[in-house]
Amino acid sequence: MTRGSGKSKEETLIEMNEAGSPNGEENNGFHSSANAGVFQLDDATSAESLCSEFSASVSKSSSQSSEFLCDQCDKEHTEPVQHLSSLAGIWRKRTLFLKYRSRVDKQHQSKDSVYFRDGKRRIDFVLSYIEDKEDRKQERRKLYEENMQKAGLELELEDKTESEDGKTYFLKIHAPWEVLATYADVLKIKVPFKVNDIPENREIPVSWLFTPLLLPDHVMRPDPDYFTSPFDKSKDDFFLIDDKETLFPPSTRNRIVYYILSRCFYNRDDNINKDKRGIKRLLNNGTYTSAFPLHDCRYWTKSRDTHCESERYSLYRYWARFFRFYKEQPLNLIRKYYGEKIGIYFAWLGFYTEMLFYAALVGLICFIYGAATYDDVIWTKEICDDDIGGQIVMCPLCDKKCGFWKLNSTCNSTWQSHLFDNTATVFFAIFMGIWVTLFLEFWKRRQARLEYEWDLVDFEEEQQQLQLRPEYETKCTSRRRNKVTQEMEPYFPVTSKCARACLSGATVLFWISLIIASIIGVIAYRLAVFAALASVMKDSPTNKMELVGSLITPQLATSVTASCINFVIIMILNFFYERVAIWITDMEVPKTHLEYENKLTIKMFLFQFVNYYSSCFYVAFFKGKFVGYPGKYTYMFNGSGLRNEECDPGGCLIELTTQLVIVMTGKQVWGNIQEALLPWLKNWWSSRKARSHPESLYSRWEQDYDLQNFSQFGLFYEYLEMVIQFGFITLFVASFPLAPLLALMNNILEVRVDAWKLTTQFRRPVAAKAHSIGAWDEILNMIAVFSVVTNAFIVAFTSDMIPRLVYLYAYHPGTELTMQGYVNNSLSIFNISQLHSDNTPDPGENPAWFNNSVITTCRYRDYRYPPGHEYEYSHTMQFWHILAAKMAFIIIMEHVVFVVKFLVAWLIPDVPSDVQARVKRERYLVQEYLHNYEVDKLKKQLNEMGGGECICPTVAQPLKHEVVSECLT
């Protein structure tokens, strides 16, 4: 720019804006500098001052020669680099001013609004993209947007100069009434047609007690009670429509728009390619960077636009904050804002948490009972007594590295075991079997009520018929005639289905085999490390540690470290398998969204079931059961030298408890970190430059663009986490009565964490309908039945409850019922001289008190005849009596619990009687009102014709825009 150009300031501004920076850089670089917080503009005054300052700078620059006259020393310089810093400051101010002016002058309403620039048309969806030089992407966008407009959608583009980063375009989409009405008819969305005339009588006894738990009505927003019917566009005067703009809530509007976007082509009509359609494919190939509906406001403050509902603010204030943990959830508002699918999840999670309170209370009472009877346990006193347990020498627990030991060394673990292994264990196991049934039956009733209140009755059939997955329609090359509709529909050959199913099943089996292999590896670790720790800790060096020194034993150290390693392996396998499960489910090409979710659910749960529970099953049902006896031990692998683990005299129940606590607690803590901390860190980093922007510079679509995307699997993982937890508190609850209490505390936090992250950290999900929790319902029922069996076996085989009862009633000495002598009775005798050389401790491994010449026998946990007996080392009759008692207990407990379960299920109807009456009444009224409507319409037409001739009802005129419905059969 040279002196004497004669150009005005405004012309100079425009020319500089088009030319770029003096360094040959694009303006975007200065955009990012400005956005980093170099300058802040909050009002028009600052803009005017910046304009004046910039104009002065331009004038001064215009008066300078091309030799860069220096305004500091008033000399000419041939090195322009010396002036780059001053020129860069001028250009930064110029760029920021133009950007600010374009934002302020062109906008007449707050940029935090969810409306088009006219302030009337609502933004139902937003697409974003970054312009590049690839012609294919530009052509796709052009054709796709043309087809969207043909489908009736209205578009408005925000130029990249209006965006915070200076390079992202935002395409705003609005669905007018004509489009909403058309697709509401296609999707059979229910609309009110009559006020409910059935009186509601749901008085809750002593309801005043629940007042502190209730939310105000303006937050709960109970919808007026109407009878509803699927919308019919040709009969719009049949329905109660006060305002067309508010008839469909934003969640329904964005669901309709997404339905259109997922079926729009991005090629020309004369070159139809079924592969080239749908927003998912355009997101995958980079044509668009994101697609999302908008939140209605910032979560911490209401929108300045009076037309915005500010429901997000209400959800954050009354639902997503942790200090509201004792309040009810505003389910109607959640459903209205996020859709029925997310609403059903939070309804189920809240109900599950409520029911956990009763299980946690009973479990806590059982634990308190164990602690209260701590000092009254005779067999524990005998183990800890120096004159009894201190005189019993036990056989080595491993080969070579383990020496002989005294029974009283297990005193602490025996005390700990009694906290969970007591008489209350049997009661609690039976109680949980009944609790599971009550939980599932009452949830069915709650779910039935929600189905009616949220217009989800008969929704499954509609979903199956109408909402085919676009991927299914794309990959189906064959078509066949539907026998019901007599229309052609996409068809996948049976041979291809079978081949894909076989490959999918083989993949799942391979990964389950990996889990089993890893569990075997952990077992081998336990065997090897136990021998090493037993050798290192033979002189009990940890006893010198204060408080916890006496509690650390080789068994405990091995159990804790093995459980931690197992947990790490679980998380690693989960990470990889999640991606594999999604890939093989995509490969199977399910027909509907419901079928896709069900297939993925089964695969993921089957894997997670084996992954999380296999180690607990090993400790509960295999450890200590196949040990053999001294002189004839059983080994894990022939010739491996790894002898099978034994349970200490206190039993294996305490080790099962340890395993359960580590895996269950670790999973919950890690899950909360993943769910809350990671999204927060990602959002904090991505929006670090824009956080200080005023509302006028940080639009609603840009704010949501900086949030994390809520993927289609987001809700799936939430269900999976809770169902795995449900398995922990039901399958193994007999070993740990406090498990429901831990789950309750976690779920109180889980509800608010899920609400917080959904409201503050994620973009608004596309609304979806769901009439139930889907396949998870069947999985919960399966776990409920299986839990009765596992708990019966835990009480019988893992706990020492049955051997103690057999001793008490059949083998106790004297005439009085007493447990004295139980410890001595439960231990068999072995002659040390008969011990095989491979099992004999190495020199130096035995403790100092051990004397070969004095101590000739050792004891082990079993019921076998002593040396010298006719049936030496064979099982005694007491062993078979105990085994028979265990089997009898399992049969009796299972039958009692199952009978009670089925009786409770029969007594509690799945659908409340008032809901049944309302559904029947609604169906009757739909038929009656539709009949009367048609008759009245016909009479009106006849009157208009003067009663002369009979005419048929007019056929609705075709729409002026194209309906994307080729695949609805």
Side-chain angles (χ1 to χ4, degrees):
M1 190 179 296
T2 56
R3 193 176 356 187
S5 60
K7 297 180 181 179
S8 66
K9 295 179 181 179
E10 185 173 353
E11 290 173 338
T12 304
L13 282 170
I14 297 173
E15 182 175 303
M16 292 172 69
N17 185 36
E18 295 175 350
S21 68
N23 296 329
E25 298 176 354
E26 294 183 0
N27 296 340
N28 292 346
F30 293 111
H31 283 177
S32 61
S33 299
N35 292 339
V38 178
F39 302 98
Q40 289 291 326
L41 296 176
D42 293 327
D43 49 40
T45 304
S46 59
E48 292 175 1
S49 62
L50 178 59
C51 181
S52 302
E53 181 182 354
F54 174 68
S55 299
S57 302
V58 170
S59 300
K60 188 171 183 177
S61 299
S62 301
S63 64
Q64 293 175 357
S65 65
S66 57
E67 286 81 11
F68 295 96
L69 181 65
C70 180
D71 59 352
Q72 299 293 331
C73 58
D74 206 25
K75 295 180 180 179
E76 292 184 354
H77 297 276
T78 58
E79 295 293 332
V81 177
Q82 300 175 7
H83 299 271
L84 287 180
S85 60
S86 60
L87 288 174
I90 294 174
W91 282 98
R92 280 196 297 270
K93 294 177 182 179
R94 185 270 306 174
T95 304
L96 181 58
F97 167 69
L98 290 178
K99 183 175 181 180
Y100 180 86
R101 185 181 66 176
S102 67
R103 290 191 168 199
V104 173
D105 293 349
K106 293 180 182 178
Q107 305 297 332
H108 300 290
Q109 89 276 8
S110 169
K111 297 210 73 174
D112 197 44
S113 173
V114 292
Y115 289 87
F116 275 17
R117 294 191 188 101
D118 57 14
K120 298 179 180 179
R121 293 174 293 173
R122 188 183 189 95
I123 303 172
D124 296 311
F125 225 86
V126 173
L127 305 181
S128 67
Y129 63 90
I130 298 175
E131 188 177 41
D132 48 36
K133 298 180 180 179
E134 188 176 343
D135 294 335
R136 293 179 61 186
K137 292 183 179 180
Q138 295 178 10
E139 181 68 14
R140 288 184 198 133
R141 282 193 292 267
K142 178 182 176 182
L143 296 174
Y144 189 66
E145 291 165 14
E146 287 177 357
N147 287 328
M148 280 194 289
Q149 290 176 320
K150 287 181 181 179
L153 298 178
E154 297 177 2
L155 312 179
E156 184 175 82
L157 181 67
E158 289 287 330
D159 192 73
K160 65 180 181 181
T161 57
E162 299 289 323
S163 64
E164 188 272 334
D165 59 5
K167 57 183 180 181
T168 303
Y169 291 86
F170 291 95
L171 182 66
K172 299 175 287 184
I173 303 173
H174 168 74
W177 165 254
E178 191 73 11
V179 174
L180 294 174
T182 301
Y183 284 94
D185 193 348
V186 169
L187 297 175
K188 304 299 180 186
I189 294 173
K190 291 188 175 182
V191 176
F193 71 90
K194 184 185 183 302
V195 177
N196 193 337
D197 57 2
I198 300 179
E200 185 174 6
N201 185 17
R202 292 178 60 190
E203 291 293 332
I204 301 176
V206 294
S207 57
W208 56 272
L209 290 175
F210 302 97
T211 302
L213 309 179
L214 303 180
L215 289 172
D217 287 340
H218 74 275
V219 178
M220 294 300 292
R221 298 193 183 185
D223 293 331
D225 201 356
Y226 292 109
F227 289 122
T228 59
S229 175
F231 185 75
D232 188 339
K233 186 183 176 185
S234 63
K235 301 180 179 66
D236 57 352
D237 55 338
F238 169 75
F239 301 96
L240 300 177
I241 303 177
D242 296 330
D243 186 357
K244 292 182 178 180
E245 295 299 322
T246 59
L247 176 64
F248 301 111
S251 58
T252 303
R253 297 174 67 101
N254 72 58
R255 184 165 73 94
I256 291 175
V257 173
Y258 185 76
Y259 183 87
I260 299 173
L261 296 181
S262 62
R263 284 158 174 78
C264 265
F265 290 93
Y266 51 89
N267 57 359
R268 299 191 182 279
D269 294 339
D270 56 355
N271 184 27
I272 293 180
N273 185 342
K274 292 179 63 177
D275 282 345
K276 295 186 176 181
R277 71 163 166 186
I279 187 61
K280 274 189 178 181
R281 294 183 66 85
L282 292 174
L283 291 171
N284 291 336
N285 60 33
T287 304
Y288 291 99
T289 55
S290 65
F292 54 91
L294 289 179
H295 284 294
D296 60 2
C297 65
R298 303 186 183 196
Y299 65 85
W300 63 86
T301 183
K302 292 184 177 180
S303 174
R304 295 183 181 179
D305 193 328
T306 56
H307 294 91
C308 293
E309 299 87 351
S310 296
E311 291 174 346
R312 186 189 186 193
Y313 167 76
S314 297
L315 286 170
Y316 173 73
R317 181 177 179 183
Y318 296 101
W319 177 51
R321 299 165 76 176
F322 177 73
F323 292 106
R324 297 277 178 175
F325 71 90
Y326 61 94
K327 293 285 188 180
E328 63 178 331
Q329 298 186 82
L331 292 178
N332 286 327
L333 183 57
I334 297 170
R335 172 244 181 169
K336 182 181 177 183
Y337 192 77
Y338 290 114
E340 288 80 1
K341 191 171 185 178
I342 290 179
I344 282 285
Y345 164 73
F346 280 103
W348 176 81
L349 180 59
F351 181 76
Y352 172 45
T353 305
E354 291 173 19
M355 291 296 292
L356 272 177
F357 172 79
Y358 305 103
L361 181 62
V362 176
L364 182 61
I365 292 173
C366 292
F367 178 79
I368 293 174
Y369 170 82
T373 57
Y374 200 70
D375 296 326
D376 301 330
V377 185
I378 296 176
W379 57 86
T380 302
K381 291 181 178 180
E382 289 182 348
I383 291 176
C384 297
D385 192 338
D386 290 336
D387 295 330
I388 302 176
Q391 300 301 318
I392 297 177
V393 178
M394 302 295 294
C395 298
L397 294 174
C398 64
D399 297 337
K400 299 294 186 181
K401 297 298 182 181
C402 297
F404 294 93
W405 53 286
K406 291 185 178 181
L407 182 60
N408 63 351
S409 63
T410 62
C411 177
N412 289 317
S413 64
T414 306
W415 283 115
Q416 296 163 12
S417 180
H418 174 71
L419 293 174
F420 309 105
D421 187 8
N422 51 66
T423 308
T425 301
V426 180
F427 166 77
F428 190 60
I430 296 174
F431 168 81
M432 287 301 295
I434 300 172
W435 174 88
V436 168
T437 303
L438 291 173
F439 164 64
L440 295 176
E441 291 302 318
F442 283 129
W443 165 245
K444 289 177 183 177
R445 292 172 61 84
R446 178 74 65 89
Q447 184 173 263
R449 189 174 297 280
L450 288 175
E451 282 184 29
Y452 172 75
E453 292 176 353
W454 293 356
D455 296 325
L456 299 171
V457 179
D458 300 327
F459 169 70
E460 184 175 5
E461 290 76 12
E462 299 166 12
Q463 186 183 48
Q464 290 283 359
Q465 294 175 8
L466 299 176
Q467 299 188 15
L468 298 180
R469 294 178 66 238
E471 294 85 354
Y472 176 81
E473 300 166 342
T474 297
K475 294 182 180 180
C476 285
T477 57
S478 305
R479 299 179 74 83
R480 70 176 180 183
R481 188 174 301 278
N482 189 307
K483 295 180 180 180
V484 178
T485 63
Q486 291 299 311
E487 296 180 0
M488 299 301 292
E489 65 178 7
Y491 166 69
F492 215 64
V494 176
T495 54
S496 180
K497 277 186 178 180
C498 292
R500 292 169 184 264
C502 290
L503 179 59
S504 175
T507 305
V508 174
L509 289 177
F510 170 76
W511 279 88
I512 290 178
S513 300
L514 283 182
I515 299 174
I516 296 174
S518 67
I519 294 299
I520 293 175
V522 172
I523 294 173
Y525 163 85
R526 298 166 71 103
L527 299 176
V529 169
F530 175 75
L533 291 176
S535 177
V536 173
M537 301 171 66
K538 62 180 182 292
D539 295 326
S540 300
T542 56
N543 285 339
K544 299 177 182 178
M545 299 173 61
E546 296 183 2
L547 298 178
V548 298
S550 60
L551 302 178
I552 300 177
T553 62
Q555 292 92 337
L556 178 63
T558 303
S559 177
V560 171
T561 56
S563 298
C564 293
I565 292 173
N566 182 65
F567 175 73
V568 173
I569 293 174
I570 285 172
M571 303 311 296
I572 293 173
L573 290 176
N574 274 346
F575 176 80
F576 289 105
Y577 181 77
E578 285 175 1
R579 288 148 182 79
V580 174
I582 293 171
W583 173 74
I584 60 179
T585 306
D586 289 337
M587 179 194 64
E588 292 181 36
V589 196
K591 185 175 182 179
T592 64
H593 294 282
L594 179 64
E595 185 180 349
Y596 181 90
E597 290 184 1
N598 289 345
K599 285 179 177 291
L600 182 62
T601 297
I602 297 300
K603 291 181 183 66
M604 286 296 297
F605 177 75
L606 183 62
F607 177 83
Q608 299 267 25
F609 184 91
V610 179
N611 199 15
Y612 279 106
Y613 303 146
S614 54
S615 58
C616 293
F617 273 104
Y618 164 74
V619 175
F621 306 124
F622 294 97
K623 182 180 178 183
K625 307 301 185 294
F626 309 99
V627 177
Y629 61 93
K632 197 176 181 180
Y633 286 117
T634 305
Y635 289 81
M636 183 176 178
F637 302 110
N638 291 331
S640 65
L642 298 176
R643 199 172 93 192
N644 285 348
E645 288 184 282
E646 297 184 42
C647 294
D648 63 35
C652 279
L653 197 70
I654 188 64
E655 187 169 341
L656 177 59
T657 303
T658 304
Q659 179 81 20
L660 189 65
V661 169
I662 290 176
V663 176
M664 181 180 174
T665 306
K667 182 184 184 305
Q668 293 180 164
V669 171
W670 177 250
N672 286 327
I673 292 175
Q674 278 187 312
E675 290 179 16
L677 186 59
L678 292 182
W680 180 82
L681 289 174
K682 290 179 181 178
N683 289 334
W684 177 84
W685 180 256
S686 62
S687 62
R688 64 192 185 282
K689 294 180 180 179
R691 280 193 294 272
S692 59
H693 289 351
E695 183 179 289
S696 58
L697 288 181
Y698 198 25
S699 63
R700 162 82 356 247
W701 44 91
E702 289 176 289
Q703 295 174 43
D704 287 4
Y705 179 72
D706 287 339
L707 298 178
Q708 298 298 304
N709 182 45
F710 191 80
S711 71
Q712 61 175 323
F713 304 113
L715 211 56
F716 169 82
Y717 291 124
E718 300 296 340
Y719 273 119
L720 183 62
E721 178 186 5
M722 289 295 100
V723 171
I724 292 296
Q725 181 204 84
F726 182 80
F728 277 123
I729 68 167
T730 55
L731 294 173
F732 308 102
V733 73
S735 67
F736 188 42
L738 293 181
L741 181 61
L742 292 181
L744 175 65
M745 292 189 294
N746 174 80
N747 286 11
I748 290 173
L749 179 64
E750 181 77 20
V751 172
R752 304 303 158 176
V753 167
D754 287 348
W756 173 82
K757 71 178 183 181
L758 198 63
T759 307
T760 67
Q761 304 302 308
F762 284 93
R763 298 170 186 164
R764 188 174 185 172
V766 178
K769 284 208 171 213
H771 76 295
S772 67
I773 61 176
W776 300 111
D777 197 9
E778 294 299 323
I779 290 175
L780 291 174
N781 278 286
M782 181 195 72
I783 293 176
V785 173
F786 196 40
S787 67
V788 177
V789 180
T790 56
N791 283 301
F793 272 86
I794 287 174
V795 174
F797 287 96
T798 308
S799 166
D800 279 344
M801 184 65 60
I802 304 302
R804 292 169 190 160
L805 292 176
V806 171
Y807 176 83
L808 179 64
Y809 290 104
Y811 289 90
H812 70 278
T815 56
E816 295 183 2
L817 293 179
T818 178
M819 289 299 296
Q820 290 182 352
Y822 168 74
V823 172
N824 185 64
N825 176 265
S826 64
L827 298 175
S828 298
I829 303 174
F830 185 78
N831 191 338
I832 295 178
S833 62
Q834 296 177 335
L835 198 62
H836 196 276
S837 59
D838 293 336
N839 307 131
T840 304
D842 288 336
E845 295 296 340
N846 285 325
W849 52 262
F850 183 77
N851 188 336
N852 286 329
S853 60
V854 177
I855 302 174
T856 58
T857 61
C858 64
R859 310 295 292 273
Y860 60 98
R861 182 184 172 89
D862 207 341
Y863 294 92
R864 294 179 182 272
Y865 289 111
H869 192 276
E870 180 182 1
Y871 302 105
E872 183 180 63
Y873 303 133
S874 297
H875 282 122
T876 64
M877 188 56 66
Q878 186 176 355
F879 170 83
W880 299 110
H881 288 166
I882 292 174
L883 182 60
K886 289 179 178 181
M887 300 306 297
F889 172 82
I890 292 172
I891 294 172
I892 294 172
M893 177 179 170
E894 287 181 358
H895 281 71
V896 169
V897 175
F898 281 133
V899 167
V900 174
K901 282 169 64 71
F902 290 132
L903 183 62
V904 169
W906 178 74
L907 290 174
I908 302 175
D910 292 347
V911 182
S913 58
D914 63 317
V915 173
Q916 286 181 333
R918 289 166 182 264
V919 171
K920 291 178 181 178
R921 173 72 173 163
E922 184 174 283
R923 288 173 177 170
Y924 166 76
L925 287 177
V926 168
Q927 294 179 357
E928 182 184 24
Y929 272 58
L930 279 175
H931 175 267
N932 294 338
Y933 171 82
E934 294 291 350
V935 171
D936 293 341
K937 189 174 182 181
L938 183 58
K939 288 181 179 178
K940 184 178 180 182
Q941 290 175 348
L942 290 172
N943 290 334
E944 290 176 355
M945 297 298 295
E949 63 179 306
C950 180
I951 62 171
C952 297
T954 57
V955 180
Q957 296 296 321
L959 296 178
K960 296 181 179 179
H961 56 75
E962 176 186 349
V963 179
V964 187
S965 58
E966 298 86 356
C967 52
L968 297 180
T969 56

